[in-house]
Amino acid sequence: TFELVGESNIGKSFFLLGQMACAAAGIPFAGVKVIKSHNFYFDAEGGSATLVPLDLDDFEGIARLALALAERYQRLDILIGNAGLLGPVSPLGRVDPKEFEQMMRINVTANLQLIRCMDPLLRAAPAGRAVFVSSGAAHNARAYVGPYSISKTPPEILARTYAPETRPTRER
């Protein structure tokens, strides 16, 4: 049994994490009970979790996090890439280029930086796993949310490219 905290995509990420943990432990996954408690994540069996406040726009911070994980744990068992901003909601002709660039920086480049920095730690794990959460927006062009749809396609291709690069390893 897992108790998870979160809303929206955060909740989806940890739901997926629960499924993966059950699969790795060889136990059936029957679902999760979602609770909200100050944005901390708890496992019902008494495990612990650490909240790491980090702006994914801080690419050097992602690198520092990878170094800290390497020092403390020497590996990373699961990476869930779920970076995303909605960005501007307007007709494409009115999108501010700076807002668009910021959205692309988070939705695309932050996921690349996660792969760059966490890949060695995933490869060091007995069965490292990387999961990237996408959106149907990558395949559905809709008026006024074009920037978001545009920004969700590259991370999907990024993940689909990264996957075969990990096949010769224990990492998936």
Side-chain angles (χ1 to χ4, degrees), residues 85-107:
L85 287 177
L86 176 59
V89 178
S90 70
L92 287 175
R94 294 186 187 150
V95 172
D96 181 314
K98 288 184 180 182
E99 287 182 62
F100 185 82
E101 287 174 9
Q102 176 62 21
M103 182 195 52
M104 294 297 283
R105 187 170 164 85
I106 297 299
N107 294 4

Side-chain angles (χ1 to χ4, degrees), residues 5 99 115 119:
V5 180
E99 287 182 62
I115 289 173
D119 179 69

Side-chain angles (χ1 to χ4, degrees), residues 76-79 118-125 127-130 162 171:
L76 179 62
D77 295 311
I78 299 172
L79 168 65
M118 303 302 170
D119 179 69
L121 294 167
L122 289 165
R123 291 180 189 273
R129 298 286 188 259
Y162 183 54
E171 179 184 2

